[in-house]
């Protein structure tokens, strides 16, 4: 891949990522609003005009200088309005842009972004196939469980799905790089969420509308099914948001037990989301967010990197610098340079350049963190940095990170 193709890919990455964030905000914002609305509306008094019209609940709100009076019909109104707004393209656009981003960032550069030979020696096609297969398997398993008798037992169903996702994380972290494994768990959840919209929620709503247009009474079962899947999507939201940004936090996906780290973070997200769902219903249960925060606090302590050892007397870091610079040149500069030579990189990741002694010294703490403490770099150990080389970088930093000048 020449430099112009890499540069064009960077722009494509930027634009698609921007689109993904915008559409994701629109989808999640609409989802949160309707869950809040559903939990906040109050049923009208029995025998009132609204009750006679079939209104199950309403509320009054003020926003942007205007007053709003949304009303919910449990099945459908007696007369269908001429203009009906459908909330679907927010979900579809988020998934399509997310999949495009997955393709651009990971599938087009699978050897650098997905394959970690210390985990599994895969070809690019094998890695991509595992990634795509996880999305399909995730939806099929989830959908079958929803349609099974287990789907009628909300708490047990939630625990089983949580166990399935954690099990999937365990498998993927033993096949792909930790970064790619996390992103594919996020893509799996995102695929489940959008498939809920496309295959259950919207089709059910269409059947209800079509029944009304034919002069028939809509079957409430479609609304019940749509509500169930909508609630599931609501609880998936915070875990999937973390997974969308997880590639910035190597301390999580590079841990020896990355799947367990993810399990704790997802559990915390679900607990915190449950607090807000209950709060919308008028119940304040601080136990749930407290438990979520406690889980995250304990996790932060458990996965914290070891502090640098005290400087040893007689260790001359300046004398070691030449060896460290040679290691950086061989293992890091292919990507971290003003003009990267590694295919797929038009600019240095995160803007960190290491192609001069001054820049190596400037970024000494970052080099130590990424190569020694987290072992997150080189990316997927693409340049095969050895443990002995990491130890030498560590010794140089712990001795003062001097350059000899």
């Amino acid at each position: 891949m020449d430099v112009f193709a890499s540069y064009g890919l960077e722009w494509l990455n930027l634009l698609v990522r921007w689109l993904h964030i915008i559409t994701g905000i629109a989808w999640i914002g609409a989802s949160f609003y309707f869950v809040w609305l559903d939990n906040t509306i109050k049923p009208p008094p029995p025998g009132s005009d609204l009750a006679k019209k079939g209104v199950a609940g309403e509320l009054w709100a003020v926003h942007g200088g205007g007053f709003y009076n949304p009303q919910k019909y449990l099945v459908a109104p007696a007369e269908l309005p001429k203009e009906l707004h459908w909330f679907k393209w927010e979900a579809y656009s988020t998934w399509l842009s997310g999949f495009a981003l997955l393709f651009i960032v990971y599938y087009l550069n699978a050897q650098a972004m997905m394959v970690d030979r210390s985990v599994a020696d895969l070809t690019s096609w094998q890695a991509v196939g595992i990634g795509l297969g996880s999305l399909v398997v995730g939806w099929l398993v989830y959908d079958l469980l929803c349609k099974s008798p287990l789907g009628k037992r909300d708490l047990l169903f939630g625990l089983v799905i949580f166990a399935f996702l954690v099990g999937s994380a365990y498998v993927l972290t033993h096949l792909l790089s930790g970064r790619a494994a996390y992103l594919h768990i996020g893509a799996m959840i995102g695929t489940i969420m959008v498939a809920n919209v496309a295959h259950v929620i919207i089709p059910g709503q269409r059947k209800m509308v079509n029944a009304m247009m034919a002069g028939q009474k809509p079957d409430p079962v479609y609304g019940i099914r749509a509500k169930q899947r909508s609630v599931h999507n609501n609880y998936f939201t915070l875990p999937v948001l973390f997974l969308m940004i997880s590639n910035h936090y190597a301390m999580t996906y590079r841990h020896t037990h990355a799947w367990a780290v993810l399990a704790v973070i997802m559990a915390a997200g679900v607990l915190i989301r449950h607090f807000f769902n209950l709060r919308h219903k008028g119940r304040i249960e601080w136990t749930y967010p407290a438990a979520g925060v406690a889980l995250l606090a304990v996790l932060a302590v458990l996965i914290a990197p070891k502090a640098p050892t005290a400087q040893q007397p007689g260790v001359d870091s300046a004398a070691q610098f030449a060896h460290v610079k040679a290691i950086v040149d061989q293992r890091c500069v292919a990507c971290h340079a003003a003009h990267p030579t590694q295919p797929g990189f038009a600019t240095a990741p995160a803007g960190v350049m290491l192609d001069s002694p001054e820049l190596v010294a400037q970024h000494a703490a970052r080099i130590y963190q990424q190569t020694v403490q987290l072992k997150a770099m080189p990316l997927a150990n693409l340049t095969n940095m050895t443990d002995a080389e990491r130890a030498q970088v560590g010794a140089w930093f712990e001795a003062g990170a001097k350059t000899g000048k």
Side-chain angles (χ1 to χ4, degrees), residues 11-21 97-98 100-101 104:
W11 268 102
L12 190 60
N13 184 339
L14 166 62
L15 296 174
V16 175
R17 191 180 298 272
W18 196 2
L19 174 64
H20 186 53
I21 292 171
S97 58
L101 195 60
I104 293 165

Side-chain angles (χ1 to χ4, degrees), residues 152-167:
K152 298 178 181 179
R153 304 177 64 182
D154 292 339
L155 180 58
L156 183 58
F157 174 84
L159 292 173
V160 170
I161 289 298
F162 180 79
F164 169 70
L165 291 174
V166 173

Side-chain angles (χ1 to χ4, degrees), residues 29-50:
S31 173
F32 278 7
Y33 171 73
F34 278 103
V35 169
W36 171 84
L37 187 63
D38 207 39
N39 288 333
T40 308
I41 56 173
K42 305 297 182 184
S48 65
D49 290 341
L50 289 179

